[in-house]
Amino acid sequence: MLPMEPTDETLLAQYKQGDPRAFRALVERYTAPLYNFAFRLLGDAMEAENITQETFLRVVGALDRIRTDLPFKPYLFRIALNLCRDAGRKKRAVSFDDWRADSPHADEVMLDDAPALWEQMADEELRAELHAAMERLPARYRAALTLRYVEGFSYAEIAQILNLPLNTVRTHLRRAKQQLRTMLRTAPPAPRGPNDE
Amino acid sequence: MMSEKHLTNEQIEAYIEQGLDAWAHEHLAVCARCRARTARAQRVETALQTLPRAETPRDLAARICAVIELRVAQEEARRARMPLIAVATFFSALLAVWFGLEMLFVLEDNGALYFASLLASQPELLSTYSFDAVFALIELLPIGEIALTLFALLTALILAQQLVETARPPALAFK
Ligand SMILES: [Zn+2]
């Protein structure tokens, strides 16, 4: 038999039956993803640590109510997202208020064929530039991009986590990428470039 | 502008996501400009797919496990304490009632209650008896029973308070 990693739901069920190692395995599995997610959204390492811990505490606190027949990972990120929203609201630095709004010029059919600075960049460099550009995106776009590309969630799962219609998720992702390309094209590899949020 | 309409950015995203769209495909075959745009979009797509996670503090998972295990242990201890405190509260209350009744019986027996009610209904008696009356009343008091009643009552109150605190809904959720 192949040594198979137990699924999240199996681990959760085992924990519910009183096996503390099962929860430790879940914490080890999801600490890095949750930390990354919170850090991308809030840009604050301490806050990201707190939110990661609090997310797991919430799970333990709600253990009796959690269903093991539903996917665990989206549930986990949903908790983390809500905690990030609360933290962002408190800090007022990260605005989630425009969560559903679309920027007015997002639909512009601008041909993005100006010579791009990043075309000569090595992949490594491009990724660094992307990171920097992502920090300047609205929080809702950052959330969608991180969930999609770093965590590999499906559109349906992202819709569930963000509590948005599927089509809105699709639009968010496309616009996020368009904005990223615009930023990459217009922003030289400098601390801050023009920002048309 | 070329004679034919170029692909919109939206269409390029859709093309990268879902692949073949007959019209887009045809246009890309003839338009170098849109081909270059598509290639750039594809490169961003690929770069996004290989985006690394932020570096996690090394011991974060271990620390979180420790915090959770501590909270769970506290929670279990709390639950284990509950029945004991409940029983203790019940018996202290019972003792308080028992000693209280005993005290009443004694007061009834030795006439202190009657004497006190007499003084209450006719306050002028107090001046005639003056100090003697007060001393007489104090002498009649069953100090032992009173002390025991108060002590049991106090214990019951403190235990009840603990019981309420322990029975509170789990404080696992916020710090
Ligand atoms: Zn074209």
Side-chain angles (χ1 to χ4, degrees), chain A residues 43-55:
Chain A
D44 180 334
M46 267 319 283
E47 199 75 76
E49 277 194 30
N50 287 339
I51 283 170
T52 309
Q53 176 174 312
E54 191 58 32
T55 303

Side-chain angles (χ1 to χ4, degrees), chain B residues 150-164:
Chain B
L150 285 178
F151 185 69
L153 210 60
L154 212 64
T155 312
L157 276 177
I158 291 170
L159 284 171
Q161 194 191 2
Q162 280 220 6
L163 188 66
V164 170

Side-chain angles (χ1 to χ4, degrees), chain B residues 135-154:
Chain B
F135 279 124
L137 192 59
I138 290 174
E139 263 170 40
L140 287 175
L141 292 179
I143 303 296
E145 275 79 2
I146 292 176
L148 281 173
T149 308
L150 285 178
F151 185 69
L153 210 60
L154 212 64

Side-chain angles (χ1 to χ4, degrees), chain A residues 26-64:
Chain A
L26 280 175
V27 172
E28 267 150 32
R29 189 175 288 179
Y30 285 117
T31 292
L34 288 172
Y35 176 83
N36 175 67
F37 183 61
F39 185 70
R40 290 269 166 268
L41 284 190
L42 299 171
D44 180 334
M46 267 319 283
E47 199 75 76
E49 277 194 30
N50 287 339
I51 283 170
T52 309
Q53 176 174 312
E54 191 58 32
T55 303
F56 288 116
L57 280 173
R58 292 277 169 108
V59 171
V60 173
L63 201 61
D64 300 337

Side-chain angles (χ1 to χ4, degrees), chain A residues 6-191:
Chain A
T7 65
D8 299 343
E9 295 72 26
T10 309
L11 286 172
L12 197 65
Q14 283 172 356
Y15 182 57
K16 274 188 168 192
Q17 281 157 16
D19 180 2
R21 281 170 313 168
F23 200 75
R24 237 171 284 154
L26 280 175
V27 172
E28 267 150 32
R29 189 175 288 179
Y30 285 117
T31 292
L34 288 172
Y35 176 83
N36 175 67
F37 183 61
F39 185 70
R40 290 269 166 268
L41 284 190
L42 299 171
D44 180 334
M46 267 319 283
E47 199 75 76
E49 277 194 30
N50 287 339
I51 283 170
T52 309
Q53 176 174 312
E54 191 58 32
T55 303
F56 288 116
L57 280 173
R58 292 277 169 108
V59 171
V60 173
L63 201 61
D64 300 337
R65 280 169 283 138
I66 300 178
R67 292 172 52 180
T68 46
D69 56 336
L70 293 177
F72 176 65
K73 195 179 172 188
Y75 172 78
L76 201 60
F77 276 78
R78 178 102 198 234
I79 299 177
L81 177 83
N82 287 332
L83 290 170
C84 284
R85 260 184 210 170
D86 292 344
R89 222 172 271 143
K90 250 175 248 163
K91 270 176 62 181
R92 306 187 59 179
V94 184
S95 167
F96 289 82
D97 297 340
D98 56 351
W99 197 256
R100 276 155 198 283
D102 284 318
S103 38
H105 52 269
D107 262 331
E108 252 174 47
V109 186
M110 179 181 56
L111 295 189
D112 50 349
D113 57 359
L117 284 159
W118 48 273
E119 269 178 287
Q120 288 86 35
M121 280 181 200
D123 286 347
E124 204 51 48
E125 234 179 315
L126 177 62
R127 271 198 293 272
E129 282 300 308
L130 266 182
H131 256 165
M134 263 176 86
E135 277 166 28
R136 285 179 282 137
L137 284 179
R140 62 185 193 282
Y141 287 175
R142 282 206 302 273
L145 283 175
T146 308
L147 292 173
R148 176 75 184 142
Y149 289 102
V150 184
E151 299 311 327
F153 280 113
S154 72
Y155 283 22
E157 285 169 328
I158 297 173
Q160 194 194 330
I161 294 168
L162 299 183
N163 195 21
L164 290 172
L166 197 64
N167 274 330
T168 311
V169 169
R170 207 180 294 276
T171 317
H172 272 17
L173 280 168
R174 283 183 192 172
R175 288 184 183 161
K177 282 186 275 178
Q178 282 170 35
Q179 283 198 18
L180 276 183
R181 284 209 303 278
T182 312
M183 286 176 185
L184 284 174
R185 199 176 67 244
T186 52

Side-chain angles (χ1 to χ4, degrees), chain B residues 26-43:
Chain B
E26 265 169 40
H27 180 79
L28 285 177
V30 295
C31 179
R33 201 174 165 191
C34 285
R35 243 189 343 263
R37 290 169 61 217
T38 308
R40 279 194 290 272
Q42 183 60 63
R43 197 165 171 219

